Amino acid sequence: MTTGSRHVLKTGSGHALNWTSILVAIPVGFAATLVTLGFRLVIELINSLLFGSKQDVTQAIAVYPAYLWPLIVGVGGLLAGFFLRYATAIEKKETVRTDYLEVINARLDAVPTKTSLFRALSSIASIGSGASIGKEGPMVQLSALAGSLMGRFCFPRLALRNSDIVAMAAAAGLSSVYHAPLASAIFVAEIAFGISALQRLIPLIISSGVAVLTLWTLGYRSAIYPFSHAQFDLTPGNMLLTVVVGLLAGLVGGGMIWLIQQSRQRFSRVASLPLRLGLGGLIVGAMAIATPAILGNGYEVIVAIMAGGFMIKGLVILLVLKMLATAISVGSNAVGGLFTPSLLTGAVLGVLVAMLARLAGFPVSDPVIFAAVGMGAVLASVSQAPLMAMLMVLEMTLNSSLLFPTMIACVLATMTAYRLQVTSTYPVVKNHFSRSDAKFDFDNGIISQFIVSGAALKPEDPVGKALAVSTLKRERFVYVINDSGQFMGAVSIHDISHKVLDKEITLESPVSCVVDASFPTVYENQTITQGWEAFARVTLERLPVLNNPQERKYLGALTKTSLIQKAEAFL
């Protein structure tokens, strides 16, 4: 068995979600955008040369008489056909597929460069001459190619698969085409990764939509938090502040969960449940003397914050006391949710950070707008469900300008809480992450982590010794190595027994006369997944592990049981 061509890097993190992927996604997204812009410029240049205009081909082609239009489009198609024929010839010769989705699914090591470029030239010829096709296909393919090249040459030693970087580039390319970052990311997750949970999302959307439609029918049509009047300006200052809010929200969300855990431990000492809840209520009521805004779920307070009704001192007091009051109420076993308290804490945090930044001379256009950004970020941190948090803020405010900054803040908040190993308020989320991490470890682990020692004989050892070793180890096969430790093959105890009974050999015959030199093997630097695939092709319980295909030094054995136990964590 060969090592295979899949390129898997060792990871320094035990988590599938890590800062490395976030940091790599930034230059990959930037490069993908430049690629799509370059493609657009090429098409515009062709239009200028061919039609003398930068207008869309539907208007620009009018510069020629109508009877020439079929010729123009036809010649473009002919030229496109030559490029495509050359690309397909290369694909057949080298038995490769150009589709970036194949790379994302880890069926290919990298996006093929030559065929991608020739397919792009074919698309340019078709689009430039007016063929009725879209631009997004080749633009995303070229973006994926750029990501693949960056993964191979710019980030070869990072704990990321090339397929992961290609996925980032594909999502960025699609986003730059349609200006829809969230939809593009979901597309790659749903179509390329094949996440089955997204398929189960459809009936949930239907039932949720019916619920909202029912409310509208009954007259409840307004946004939960009317905030459509404010607009988030995409300035460098606002984006930097968004990053700060996101990171702080991760810390604040983690702090809230920690406070709740501490509160539960202390209230657990009170055996009587009524007394426990009564004590919690007493403490929260006393705290409300400082500011009654900490009482309740905080809906009206959020509305007041969005209206600019709090100063810095009041926001600081409200932030601290609301976190404590929530921890005390939840810790005393009060039945209720954390959604709105998290939203209120986030609104306070966002406005407070923005107001402090403005006080320090930082250019902030509207501090109140960061209330919504903070709401989504803290909710994402506490729930560790960033997609839900960003969409919820968008739907509750009906303010589309908040989508992009809320996305950034929610992702950063979730990452911060996750890397701090903060437990989600929903235990099922922890189970999802545990399974995800286990699957990540399985996909990225290497066989050397599972090597067990195993007996091996020399070629000159008698077959009787092989029978004795087999009886002791309860194995059907015994491995054979030479004096330098090189793997020579394996002997079958079943074959030895038959040959001895048939008097073809004796118990004193050397094992070299019955060794199977083509016995399947695996190598220490192969992935666990490749080891799994190796076992799927044979009916063996263990396989010999060698150092590499060239030296073939015997290191020990890989057992099927160890892989099954490893896979059990995510199955």
Side-chain angles (χ1 to χ4, degrees):
M1 180 179 176
T2 61
T3 57
S5 59
R6 185 180 298 172
H7 178 60
V8 180
L9 298 161
K10 294 182 180 180
T11 175
S13 169
H15 302 279
L17 188 63
N18 52 66
W19 286 111
T20 301
S21 59
I22 298 296
L23 295 176
V24 168
I26 296 173
V28 169
F30 180 71
T33 303
L34 294 182
V35 168
T36 57
L37 288 176
F39 190 90
R40 290 180 186 274
L41 291 175
V42 170
I43 297 297
E44 291 177 2
L45 178 61
I46 290 176
N47 283 353
S48 297
L49 295 175
L50 189 59
F51 306 113
S53 171
K54 291 186 178 181
Q55 290 180 306
D56 184 75
V57 66
T58 54
Q59 288 88 34
I61 199 171
V63 71
Y64 294 104
Y67 63 83
L68 290 180
W69 295 358
L71 181 63
I72 295 172
V73 181
V75 171
L78 184 66
L79 184 60
F82 282 116
F83 287 127
L84 184 59
R85 186 176 68 177
Y86 188 72
T88 53
I90 297 175
E91 291 170 349
K92 289 180 180 179
K93 180 180 179 181
E94 299 181 1
T95 62
V96 297
R97 297 186 64 181
T98 307
D99 192 352
Y100 68 92
L101 294 176
E102 296 292 327
V103 179
I104 297 176
N105 280 315
R107 296 174 185 168
L108 295 174
D109 289 331
V111 178
T113 304
K114 190 181 297 183
T115 54
S116 293
L117 292 176
F118 275 101
R119 282 183 174 273
L121 289 174
S122 175
S123 179
I124 288 172
S126 295
I127 295 171
S129 60
S132 180
I133 55 174
K135 303 176 184 178
E136 72 282 350
M139 293 169 80
V140 176
Q141 180 68 35
L142 289 176
S143 298
L145 173 61
S148 178
L149 293 174
M150 292 179 72
R152 291 163 58 191
F153 298 111
C154 299
F155 314 112
R157 299 185 181 276
L158 295 183
L160 281 177
R161 289 189 174 197
N162 195 45
S163 58
D164 293 332
I165 301 178
V166 170
M168 297 175 195
L174 191 63
S175 177
S176 62
V177 173
Y178 292 111
H179 299 193
L182 189 57
S184 301
I186 291 177
F187 167 80
V188 172
E190 184 176 16
I191 304 301
F193 290 150
I195 297 178
S196 59
L198 289 175
Q199 299 172 6
R200 300 170 66 184
L201 182 66
I202 295 175
L204 305 183
I205 294 175
I206 298 298
S207 61
S208 299
V210 169
V212 173
L213 183 61
T214 303
L215 286 174
W216 285 4
T217 304
L218 296 175
Y220 300 95
R221 300 181 65 91
S222 61
I224 296 296
Y225 299 109
F227 204 49
S228 58
H229 62 281
Q231 292 294 308
F232 186 94
D233 297 325
L234 288 174
T235 63
N238 281 351
M239 290 311 302
L240 179 59
L241 205 56
T242 296
V243 171
V244 173
V245 170
L247 295 174
L248 289 177
L251 297 176
V252 168
M256 282 186 66
I257 295 175
W258 181 83
L259 287 172
I260 290 171
Q261 292 171 343
Q262 296 299 312
S263 177
R264 280 176 174 159
Q265 290 178 7
R266 283 155 177 76
F267 274 106
S268 64
R269 300 169 186 171
V270 181
S272 172
L273 195 57
L275 184 58
R276 189 186 306 172
L277 285 165
L279 179 60
L282 181 66
I283 297 173
V284 172
M287 293 170 60
I289 297 174
T291 171
I294 66 170
L295 298 175
N297 63 6
Y299 168 77
E300 296 293 344
V301 183
I302 293 176
V303 174
I305 290 173
M306 288 183 167
F310 282 84
M311 302 301 292
I312 291 179
K313 182 180 178 180
L315 290 172
V316 173
I317 295 173
L318 180 58
L319 178 64
V320 174
L321 292 185
K322 185 61 180 179
M323 290 176 64
L324 290 173
T326 302
I328 291 169
S329 295
V330 175
S332 65
N333 287 95
V335 179
L338 280 176
F339 262 55
T340 313
S342 298
L343 292 173
L344 173 55
T345 303
V348 175
L349 175 68
V351 174
L352 180 60
V353 170
M355 292 178 70
L356 289 174
R358 172 180 277 187
L359 190 64
F362 196 80
V364 180
S365 55
D366 186 1
V368 175
I369 196 72
F370 287 94
V373 177
M375 286 166 60
V378 173
L379 179 59
S381 174
V382 171
S383 65
Q384 293 187 11
L387 184 59
M388 173 277 298
M390 63 183 74
L391 289 177
M392 182 164 285
V393 168
L394 182 65
E395 291 180 317
M396 289 190 305
T397 62
L398 297 181
N399 190 330
S400 60
S401 72
L402 293 171
L403 177 58
F404 184 67
T406 305
M407 284 177 59
I408 300 299
C410 288
V411 168
L412 291 176
T414 304
M415 279 294 304
T416 302
Y418 183 75
R419 300 307 297 176
L420 291 174
Q421 299 184 358
V422 174
T423 303
S424 171
T425 53
Y426 304 98
V428 67
V429 174
K430 181 180 179 180
N431 295 335
H432 291 329
F433 274 121
S434 297
R435 285 197 296 268
S436 175
D437 290 342
K439 183 63 167 63
F440 181 82
D441 290 339
F442 188 89
D443 290 338
N444 292 274
I446 56 177
I447 288 175
S448 62
Q449 300 170 324
F450 297 90
I451 297 177
V452 297
S453 60
L457 302 179
K458 298 295 177 62
E460 63 271 14
D461 288 334
V463 295
K465 186 176 181 180
L467 291 174
V469 171
S470 171
T471 302
L472 180 64
K473 298 291 185 180
R474 297 183 179 181
E475 291 294 333
R476 293 185 298 145
F477 297 90
V478 178
Y479 306 139
V480 180
I481 61 174
N482 61 20
D483 292 334
S484 61
Q486 188 177 36
F487 182 77
M488 306 300 294
V491 293
S492 167
I493 303 306
H494 183 268
D495 289 346
I496 290 176
S497 300
H498 272 284
K499 289 181 182 294
V500 170
L501 291 175
D502 293 341
K503 297 183 179 180
E504 295 181 22
I505 60 174
T506 67
L507 293 177
E508 299 301 323
S509 299
V511 294
S512 58
C513 66
V514 289
V515 69
D516 178 10
S518 62
F519 195 81
T521 63
V522 292
Y523 300 96
E524 63 172 339
N525 64 340
Q526 286 185 298
T527 65
I528 300 175
T529 303
Q530 288 174 314
W532 186 277
E533 293 169 351
F535 276 116
R537 291 191 287 267
V538 297
T539 57
L540 301 172
E541 293 302 316
R542 58 172 55 203
L543 287 170
V545 181
L546 312 184
N547 64 335
N548 57 58
Q550 293 75 36
E551 298 178 355
R552 295 179 62 82
K553 292 289 183 67
Y554 174 71
L555 302 177
L558 175 69
T559 65
K560 184 183 293 184
T561 301
S562 64
L563 296 189
I564 293 175
Q565 291 173 342
K566 183 70 174 177
E568 185 181 8
F570 63 87
L571 291 178

